[in-house]
Amino acid sequence: SQQGEEDPQALSIQEGENATMNCSYKTSINNLQWYRQNSGRGLVHLILIRSNEREKHSGRLRVTLDTSKKSSSLLITASRAADTASYFCATDAGGGADGLTFGKGTHLIIQP
Amino acid sequence: DTAVSQTPKYLVTQMGNDKSIKCEQNLGHDTMYWYKQDSKKFLKIMFSYNNKELIINETVPNRFSPKSPDKAHLNLHINSLELGDSAVYFCASSLRREQYFGPGTRLTVT
């Protein structure tokens, strides 16, 4: 069954603005990850936040995690045209070789 | 230099055929995966495999079977292809928790 739900499904902003995407999930997790997928390409890992962490930064990315609400957000600051892509959250239950459970993704368009 | 590679990139075939997609990783990772991405971009785990266990998503038809000749390879065999199998298939590998994805194989069944 689907775990993550991203919100919004699509987001279009001007270059230089900040973009915020949200993700909700349903079950207990070991960690939550965000991935980027450019059109016609594979997914690229962006950032991982563990269940005992509340916030994490990596360059222009900021991720928050609220396990009580089972939600996470991804903030991209000072967006660039190259940030145009689909962004997926993925939950990891932490059990052995289990794969990730992905949400539906947010399609982000940065207008130059 | 490619970390996770898949072949072919595109595969067009007719219903009823049997086909394979190959995946190789040169990262030395222990665990490999196959995901299916449908036309709405929804990604779903199909299999995960390391040298100890194969975990199969229960919703995957038994026409799909992973085969791992060695730690660096996890191939996907599909028997009796159906129209609904049309999708993009991604291979991935991991050492810890973050996963590294291949470029995908777009399968079209006609």
PDB file of all heavy atoms in Angstrom, chain B residues 77-107:
ATOM      1  N   HIS B  77      13.474 -11.011 -14.855  1.00  0.00           N
ATOM      2  CA  HIS B  77      12.877 -11.788 -15.923  1.00  0.00           C
ATOM      3  C   HIS B  77      11.361 -11.655 -15.838  1.00  0.00           C
ATOM      4  O   HIS B  77      10.792 -11.741 -14.745  1.00  0.00           O
ATOM      5  CB  HIS B  77      13.278 -13.260 -15.809  1.00  0.00           C
ATOM      6  CG  HIS B  77      14.731 -13.493 -16.016  1.00  0.00           C
ATOM      7  ND1 HIS B  77      15.279 -13.836 -17.228  1.00  0.00           N
ATOM      8  CD2 HIS B  77      15.772 -13.392 -15.153  1.00  0.00           C
ATOM      9  CE1 HIS B  77      16.589 -13.957 -17.104  1.00  0.00           C
ATOM     10  NE2 HIS B  77      16.911 -13.699 -15.858  1.00  0.00           N
ATOM     11  N   ILE B  78      10.768 -11.462 -17.003  1.00  0.00           N
ATOM     12  CA  ILE B  78       9.317 -11.326 -17.047  1.00  0.00           C
ATOM     13  C   ILE B  78       8.782 -12.307 -18.083  1.00  0.00           C
ATOM     14  O   ILE B  78       9.188 -12.273 -19.250  1.00  0.00           O
ATOM     15  CB  ILE B  78       8.872  -9.905 -17.429  1.00  0.00           C
ATOM     16  CG1 ILE B  78       9.688  -8.850 -16.674  1.00  0.00           C
ATOM     17  CG2 ILE B  78       7.384  -9.722 -17.153  1.00  0.00           C
ATOM     18  CD1 ILE B  78       9.506  -7.433 -17.191  1.00  0.00           C
ATOM     19  N   ASN B  79       7.895 -13.165 -17.647  1.00  0.00           N
ATOM     20  CA  ASN B  79       7.291 -14.142 -18.551  1.00  0.00           C
ATOM     21  C   ASN B  79       5.898 -13.690 -18.963  1.00  0.00           C
ATOM     22  O   ASN B  79       5.218 -12.980 -18.223  1.00  0.00           O
ATOM     23  CB  ASN B  79       7.187 -15.503 -17.876  1.00  0.00           C
ATOM     24  CG  ASN B  79       8.548 -16.099 -17.572  1.00  0.00           C
ATOM     25  OD1 ASN B  79       9.502 -15.930 -18.336  1.00  0.00           O
ATOM     26  ND2 ASN B  79       8.647 -16.784 -16.445  1.00  0.00           N
ATOM     27  N   SER B  80       5.500 -14.112 -20.148  1.00  0.00           N
ATOM     28  CA  SER B  80       4.134 -13.873 -20.626  1.00  0.00           C
ATOM     29  C   SER B  80       3.703 -12.426 -20.418  1.00  0.00           C
ATOM     30  O   SER B  80       2.731 -12.128 -19.718  1.00  0.00           O
ATOM     31  CB  SER B  80       3.148 -14.812 -19.905  1.00  0.00           C
ATOM     32  OG  SER B  80       3.522 -16.154 -20.103  1.00  0.00           O
ATOM     33  N   LEU B  81       4.414 -11.529 -21.027  1.00  0.00           N
ATOM     34  CA  LEU B  81       4.175 -10.100 -20.821  1.00  0.00           C
ATOM     35  C   LEU B  81       2.748  -9.707 -21.136  1.00  0.00           C
ATOM     36  O   LEU B  81       2.134 -10.191 -22.096  1.00  0.00           O
ATOM     37  CB  LEU B  81       5.152  -9.295 -21.669  1.00  0.00           C
ATOM     38  CG  LEU B  81       6.521  -9.139 -21.023  1.00  0.00           C
ATOM     39  CD1 LEU B  81       7.599  -8.898 -22.068  1.00  0.00           C
ATOM     40  CD2 LEU B  81       6.479  -8.001 -20.011  1.00  0.00           C
ATOM     41  N   GLU B  82       2.222  -8.785 -20.334  1.00  0.00           N
ATOM     42  CA  GLU B  82       0.868  -8.259 -20.498  1.00  0.00           C
ATOM     43  C   GLU B  82       0.935  -6.753 -20.719  1.00  0.00           C
ATOM     44  O   GLU B  82       1.932  -6.108 -20.376  1.00  0.00           O
ATOM     45  CB  GLU B  82       0.043  -8.572 -19.240  1.00  0.00           C
ATOM     46  CG  GLU B  82      -0.070 -10.054 -18.944  1.00  0.00           C
ATOM     47  CD  GLU B  82      -0.854 -10.317 -17.664  1.00  0.00           C
ATOM     48  OE1 GLU B  82      -1.261  -9.349 -16.989  1.00  0.00           O
ATOM     49  OE2 GLU B  82      -1.055 -11.510 -17.355  1.00  0.00           O
ATOM     50  N   LEU B  83      -0.143  -6.208 -21.270  1.00  0.00           N
ATOM     51  CA  LEU B  83      -0.189  -4.774 -21.537  1.00  0.00           C
ATOM     52  C   LEU B  83       0.088  -3.954 -20.267  1.00  0.00           C
ATOM     53  O   LEU B  83       0.767  -2.929 -20.299  1.00  0.00           O
ATOM     54  CB  LEU B  83      -1.550  -4.379 -22.115  1.00  0.00           C
ATOM     55  CG  LEU B  83      -1.874  -4.891 -23.519  1.00  0.00           C
ATOM     56  CD1 LEU B  83      -3.299  -4.509 -23.912  1.00  0.00           C
ATOM     57  CD2 LEU B  83      -0.879  -4.347 -24.538  1.00  0.00           C
ATOM     58  N   GLY B  84      -0.453  -4.441 -19.157  1.00  0.00           N
ATOM     59  CA  GLY B  84      -0.309  -3.721 -17.895  1.00  0.00           C
ATOM     60  C   GLY B  84       1.112  -3.711 -17.343  1.00  0.00           C
ATOM     61  O   GLY B  84       1.386  -3.018 -16.359  1.00  0.00           O
ATOM     62  N   ASP B  85       1.987  -4.484 -17.957  1.00  0.00           N
ATOM     63  CA  ASP B  85       3.384  -4.476 -17.511  1.00  0.00           C
ATOM     64  C   ASP B  85       4.148  -3.274 -18.066  1.00  0.00           C
ATOM     65  O   ASP B  85       5.286  -3.015 -17.642  1.00  0.00           O
ATOM     66  CB  ASP B  85       4.092  -5.766 -17.962  1.00  0.00           C
ATOM     67  CG  ASP B  85       3.473  -7.013 -17.359  1.00  0.00           C
ATOM     68  OD1 ASP B  85       2.898  -6.903 -16.249  1.00  0.00           O
ATOM     69  OD2 ASP B  85       3.561  -8.081 -17.993  1.00  0.00           O
ATOM     70  N   SER B  86       3.538  -2.552 -18.985  1.00  0.00           N
ATOM     71  CA  SER B  86       4.192  -1.357 -19.538  1.00  0.00           C
ATOM     72  C   SER B  86       4.444  -0.357 -18.427  1.00  0.00           C
ATOM     73  O   SER B  86       3.520   0.037 -17.704  1.00  0.00           O
ATOM     74  CB  SER B  86       3.313  -0.726 -20.620  1.00  0.00           C
ATOM     75  OG  SER B  86       3.172  -1.584 -21.727  1.00  0.00           O
ATOM     76  N   ALA B  87       5.684   0.035 -18.278  1.00  0.00           N
ATOM     77  CA  ALA B  87       6.087   0.930 -17.187  1.00  0.00           C
ATOM     78  C   ALA B  87       7.578   1.194 -17.340  1.00  0.00           C
ATOM     79  O   ALA B  87       8.229   0.678 -18.254  1.00  0.00           O
ATOM     80  CB  ALA B  87       5.817   0.296 -15.830  1.00  0.00           C
ATOM     81  N   VAL B  88       8.099   1.987 -16.417  1.00  0.00           N
ATOM     82  CA  VAL B  88       9.550   2.154 -16.329  1.00  0.00           C
ATOM     83  C   VAL B  88      10.026   1.355 -15.121  1.00  0.00           C
ATOM     84  O   VAL B  88       9.481   1.486 -14.027  1.00  0.00           O
ATOM     85  CB  VAL B  88       9.962   3.628 -16.177  1.00  0.00           C
ATOM     86  CG1 VAL B  88      11.482   3.746 -16.127  1.00  0.00           C
ATOM     87  CG2 VAL B  88       9.409   4.457 -17.334  1.00  0.00           C
ATOM     88  N   TYR B  89      11.020   0.525 -15.330  1.00  0.00           N
ATOM     89  CA  TYR B  89      11.542  -0.326 -14.274  1.00  0.00           C
ATOM     90  C   TYR B  89      12.910   0.195 -13.851  1.00  0.00           C
ATOM     91  O   TYR B  89      13.798   0.415 -14.680  1.00  0.00           O
ATOM     92  CB  TYR B  89      11.629  -1.778 -14.749  1.00  0.00           C
ATOM     93  CG  TYR B  89      10.269  -2.387 -14.972  1.00  0.00           C
ATOM     94  CD1 TYR B  89       9.587  -2.195 -16.179  1.00  0.00           C
ATOM     95  CD2 TYR B  89       9.625  -3.111 -13.968  1.00  0.00           C
ATOM     96  CE1 TYR B  89       8.318  -2.711 -16.376  1.00  0.00           C
ATOM     97  CE2 TYR B  89       8.360  -3.639 -14.163  1.00  0.00           C
ATOM     98  CZ  TYR B  89       7.712  -3.434 -15.366  1.00  0.00           C
ATOM     99  OH  TYR B  89       6.450  -3.954 -15.548  1.00  0.00           O
ATOM    100  N   PHE B  90      13.058   0.395 -12.555  1.00  0.00           N
ATOM    101  CA  PHE B  90      14.308   0.907 -12.007  1.00  0.00           C
ATOM    102  C   PHE B  90      14.965  -0.127 -11.119  1.00  0.00           C
ATOM    103  O   PHE B  90      14.326  -0.738 -10.259  1.00  0.00           O
ATOM    104  CB  PHE B  90      14.068   2.165 -11.176  1.00  0.00           C
ATOM    105  CG  PHE B  90      13.725   3.380 -11.975  1.00  0.00           C
ATOM    106  CD1 PHE B  90      12.401   3.761 -12.134  1.00  0.00           C
ATOM    107  CD2 PHE B  90      14.713   4.138 -12.573  1.00  0.00           C
ATOM    108  CE1 PHE B  90      12.079   4.895 -12.872  1.00  0.00           C
ATOM    109  CE2 PHE B  90      14.394   5.268 -13.311  1.00  0.00           C
ATOM    110  CZ  PHE B  90      13.075   5.636 -13.460  1.00  0.00           C
ATOM    111  N   CYS B  91      16.242  -0.275 -11.331  1.00  0.00           N
ATOM    112  CA  CYS B  91      17.073  -1.065 -10.443  1.00  0.00           C
ATOM    113  C   CYS B  91      17.747  -0.107  -9.469  1.00  0.00           C
ATOM    114  O   CYS B  91      18.010   1.062  -9.811  1.00  0.00           O
ATOM    115  CB  CYS B  91      18.120  -1.798 -11.275  1.00  0.00           C
ATOM    116  SG  CYS B  91      19.323  -2.727 -10.337  1.00  0.00           S
ATOM    117  N   ALA B  92      18.011  -0.555  -8.259  1.00  0.00           N
ATOM    118  CA  ALA B  92      18.691   0.283  -7.276  1.00  0.00           C
ATOM    119  C   ALA B  92      19.559  -0.606  -6.397  1.00  0.00           C
ATOM    120  O   ALA B  92      19.371  -1.831  -6.339  1.00  0.00           O
ATOM    121  CB  ALA B  92      17.682   1.057  -6.429  1.00  0.00           C
ATOM    122  N   SER B  93      20.504   0.015  -5.729  1.00  0.00           N
ATOM    123  CA  SER B  93      21.334  -0.728  -4.785  1.00  0.00           C
ATOM    124  C   SER B  93      21.575   0.136  -3.553  1.00  0.00           C
ATOM    125  O   SER B  93      21.442   1.359  -3.601  1.00  0.00           O
ATOM    126  CB  SER B  93      22.668  -1.138  -5.413  1.00  0.00           C
ATOM    127  OG  SER B  93      23.516  -0.025  -5.598  1.00  0.00           O
ATOM    128  N   SER B  94      21.926  -0.503  -2.465  1.00  0.00           N
ATOM    129  CA  SER B  94      22.223   0.253  -1.248  1.00  0.00           C
ATOM    130  C   SER B  94      23.225  -0.507  -0.398  1.00  0.00           C
ATOM    131  O   SER B  94      23.307  -1.730  -0.435  1.00  0.00           O
ATOM    132  CB  SER B  94      20.949   0.520  -0.448  1.00  0.00           C
ATOM    133  OG  SER B  94      20.453  -0.674   0.112  1.00  0.00           O
ATOM    134  N   LEU B  95      23.977   0.272   0.371  1.00  0.00           N
ATOM    135  CA  LEU B  95      24.877  -0.310   1.365  1.00  0.00           C
ATOM    136  C   LEU B  95      24.298  -0.104   2.756  1.00  0.00           C
ATOM    137  O   LEU B  95      24.242  -1.030   3.547  1.00  0.00           O
ATOM    138  CB  LEU B  95      26.258   0.354   1.268  1.00  0.00           C
ATOM    139  CG  LEU B  95      27.314  -0.194   2.244  1.00  0.00           C
ATOM    140  CD1 LEU B  95      27.556  -1.666   1.999  1.00  0.00           C
ATOM    141  CD2 LEU B  95      28.615   0.595   2.119  1.00  0.00           C
ATOM    142  N   ARG B  96      23.888   1.119   3.009  1.00  0.00           N
ATOM    143  CA  ARG B  96      23.214   1.420   4.270  1.00  0.00           C
ATOM    144  C   ARG B  96      21.748   1.692   3.964  1.00  0.00           C
ATOM    145  O   ARG B  96      21.018   0.788   3.598  1.00  0.00           O
ATOM    146  CB  ARG B  96      23.899   2.594   4.964  1.00  0.00           C
ATOM    147  CG  ARG B  96      25.316   2.248   5.395  1.00  0.00           C
ATOM    148  CD  ARG B  96      25.989   3.358   6.147  1.00  0.00           C
ATOM    149  NE  ARG B  96      27.356   2.998   6.489  1.00  0.00           N
ATOM    150  CZ  ARG B  96      28.391   3.127   5.670  1.00  0.00           C
ATOM    151  NH1 ARG B  96      28.228   3.604   4.472  1.00  0.00           N
ATOM    152  NH2 ARG B  96      29.598   2.766   6.061  1.00  0.00           N
ATOM    153  N   ARG B  97      21.311   2.916   4.083  1.00  0.00           N
ATOM    154  CA  ARG B  97      19.880   3.170   3.888  1.00  0.00           C
ATOM    155  C   ARG B  97      19.581   3.948   2.613  1.00  0.00           C
ATOM    156  O   ARG B  97      18.528   3.747   2.026  1.00  0.00           O
ATOM    157  CB  ARG B  97      19.303   3.921   5.084  1.00  0.00           C
ATOM    158  CG  ARG B  97      19.516   3.236   6.427  1.00  0.00           C
ATOM    159  CD  ARG B  97      19.370   1.752   6.387  1.00  0.00           C
ATOM    160  NE  ARG B  97      18.025   1.297   6.575  1.00  0.00           N
ATOM    161  CZ  ARG B  97      17.679   0.003   6.665  1.00  0.00           C
ATOM    162  NH1 ARG B  97      18.581  -0.933   6.538  1.00  0.00           N
ATOM    163  NH2 ARG B  97      16.429  -0.339   6.860  1.00  0.00           N
ATOM    164  N   GLU B  98      20.473   4.856   2.168  1.00  0.00           N
ATOM    165  CA  GLU B  98      20.154   5.585   0.943  1.00  0.00           C
ATOM    166  C   GLU B  98      20.390   4.672  -0.257  1.00  0.00           C
ATOM    167  O   GLU B  98      21.291   3.819  -0.246  1.00  0.00           O
ATOM    168  CB  GLU B  98      20.982   6.865   0.810  1.00  0.00           C
ATOM    169  CG  GLU B  98      22.465   6.660   0.756  1.00  0.00           C
ATOM    170  CD  GLU B  98      23.103   6.883   2.106  1.00  0.00           C
ATOM    171  OE1 GLU B  98      22.451   6.601   3.123  1.00  0.00           O
ATOM    172  OE2 GLU B  98      24.254   7.341   2.127  1.00  0.00           O
ATOM    173  N   GLN B  99      19.559   4.845  -1.273  1.00  0.00           N
ATOM    174  CA  GLN B  99      19.612   3.972  -2.429  1.00  0.00           C
ATOM    175  C   GLN B  99      20.122   4.723  -3.648  1.00  0.00           C
ATOM    176  O   GLN B  99      19.894   5.920  -3.813  1.00  0.00           O
ATOM    177  CB  GLN B  99      18.240   3.367  -2.693  1.00  0.00           C
ATOM    178  CG  GLN B  99      17.789   2.462  -1.545  1.00  0.00           C
ATOM    179  CD  GLN B  99      16.536   1.687  -1.835  1.00  0.00           C
ATOM    180  OE1 GLN B  99      16.037   1.649  -2.950  1.00  0.00           O
ATOM    181  NE2 GLN B  99      16.020   1.020  -0.804  1.00  0.00           N
ATOM    182  N   TYR B 100      20.798   3.973  -4.504  1.00  0.00           N
ATOM    183  CA  TYR B 100      21.348   4.511  -5.740  1.00  0.00           C
ATOM    184  C   TYR B 100      20.604   3.844  -6.899  1.00  0.00           C
ATOM    185  O   TYR B 100      20.589   2.614  -7.001  1.00  0.00           O
ATOM    186  CB  TYR B 100      22.853   4.231  -5.831  1.00  0.00           C
ATOM    187  CG  TYR B 100      23.638   4.969  -4.786  1.00  0.00           C
ATOM    188  CD1 TYR B 100      23.678   4.515  -3.472  1.00  0.00           C
ATOM    189  CD2 TYR B 100      24.329   6.136  -5.103  1.00  0.00           C
ATOM    190  CE1 TYR B 100      24.386   5.202  -2.500  1.00  0.00           C
ATOM    191  CE2 TYR B 100      25.051   6.825  -4.144  1.00  0.00           C
ATOM    192  CZ  TYR B 100      25.072   6.349  -2.840  1.00  0.00           C
ATOM    193  OH  TYR B 100      25.772   7.041  -1.895  1.00  0.00           O
ATOM    194  N   PHE B 101      20.008   4.682  -7.731  1.00  0.00           N
ATOM    195  CA  PHE B 101      19.138   4.165  -8.786  1.00  0.00           C
ATOM    196  C   PHE B 101      19.830   4.138 -10.141  1.00  0.00           C
ATOM    197  O   PHE B 101      20.659   5.000 -10.456  1.00  0.00           O
ATOM    198  CB  PHE B 101      17.877   5.031  -8.895  1.00  0.00           C
ATOM    199  CG  PHE B 101      16.872   4.746  -7.822  1.00  0.00           C
ATOM    200  CD1 PHE B 101      17.054   5.236  -6.535  1.00  0.00           C
ATOM    201  CD2 PHE B 101      15.749   3.989  -8.100  1.00  0.00           C
ATOM    202  CE1 PHE B 101      16.130   4.962  -5.529  1.00  0.00           C
ATOM    203  CE2 PHE B 101      14.815   3.712  -7.102  1.00  0.00           C
ATOM    204  CZ  PHE B 101      15.012   4.199  -5.828  1.00  0.00           C
ATOM    205  N   GLY B 102      19.441   3.149 -10.932  1.00  0.00           N
ATOM    206  CA  GLY B 102      19.847   3.113 -12.324  1.00  0.00           C
ATOM    207  C   GLY B 102      19.002   4.081 -13.134  1.00  0.00           C
ATOM    208  O   GLY B 102      18.064   4.685 -12.620  1.00  0.00           O
ATOM    209  N   PRO B 103      19.309   4.219 -14.429  1.00  0.00           N
ATOM    210  CA  PRO B 103      18.603   5.183 -15.281  1.00  0.00           C
ATOM    211  C   PRO B 103      17.216   4.737 -15.704  1.00  0.00           C
ATOM    212  O   PRO B 103      16.454   5.530 -16.255  1.00  0.00           O
ATOM    213  CB  PRO B 103      19.522   5.299 -16.499  1.00  0.00           C
ATOM    214  CG  PRO B 103      20.217   3.978 -16.552  1.00  0.00           C
ATOM    215  CD  PRO B 103      20.401   3.543 -15.132  1.00  0.00           C
ATOM    216  N   GLY B 104      16.867   3.483 -15.446  1.00  0.00           N
ATOM    217  CA  GLY B 104      15.533   3.009 -15.799  1.00  0.00           C
ATOM    218  C   GLY B 104      15.482   2.314 -17.146  1.00  0.00           C
ATOM    219  O   GLY B 104      16.288   2.582 -18.037  1.00  0.00           O
ATOM    220  N   THR B 105      14.528   1.405 -17.269  1.00  0.00           N
ATOM    221  CA  THR B 105      14.232   0.720 -18.538  1.00  0.00           C
ATOM    222  C   THR B 105      12.754   0.942 -18.827  1.00  0.00           C
ATOM    223  O   THR B 105      11.903   0.555 -18.027  1.00  0.00           O
ATOM    224  CB  THR B 105      14.518  -0.784 -18.443  1.00  0.00           C
ATOM    225  OG1 THR B 105      15.920  -0.991 -18.247  1.00  0.00           O
ATOM    226  CG2 THR B 105      14.053  -1.498 -19.711  1.00  0.00           C
ATOM    227  N   ARG B 106      12.490   1.599 -19.950  1.00  0.00           N
ATOM    228  CA  ARG B 106      11.090   1.836 -20.320  1.00  0.00           C
ATOM    229  C   ARG B 106      10.593   0.646 -21.120  1.00  0.00           C
ATOM    230  O   ARG B 106      11.043   0.404 -22.237  1.00  0.00           O
ATOM    231  CB  ARG B 106      10.944   3.125 -21.122  1.00  0.00           C
ATOM    232  CG  ARG B 106       9.492   3.435 -21.496  1.00  0.00           C
ATOM    233  CD  ARG B 106       9.335   4.781 -22.150  1.00  0.00           C
ATOM    234  NE  ARG B 106       9.624   5.877 -21.234  1.00  0.00           N
ATOM    235  CZ  ARG B 106       8.762   6.378 -20.370  1.00  0.00           C
ATOM    236  NH1 ARG B 106       7.530   5.898 -20.312  1.00  0.00           N
ATOM    237  NH2 ARG B 106       9.110   7.387 -19.603  1.00  0.00           N
ATOM    238  N   LEU B 107       9.685  -0.097 -20.539  1.00  0.00           N
ATOM    239  CA  LEU B 107       9.107  -1.283 -21.185  1.00  0.00           C
ATOM    240  C   LEU B 107       7.743  -0.936 -21.762  1.00  0.00           C
ATOM    241  O   LEU B 107       6.886  -0.424 -21.042  1.00  0.00           O
ATOM    242  CB  LEU B 107       8.968  -2.419 -20.173  1.00  0.00           C
ATOM    243  CG  LEU B 107       8.201  -3.660 -20.633  1.00  0.00           C
ATOM    244  CD1 LEU B 107       8.923  -4.369 -21.770  1.00  0.00           C
ATOM    245  CD2 LEU B 107       7.961  -4.618 -19.470  1.00  0.00           C
TER     246      LEU B 107
END
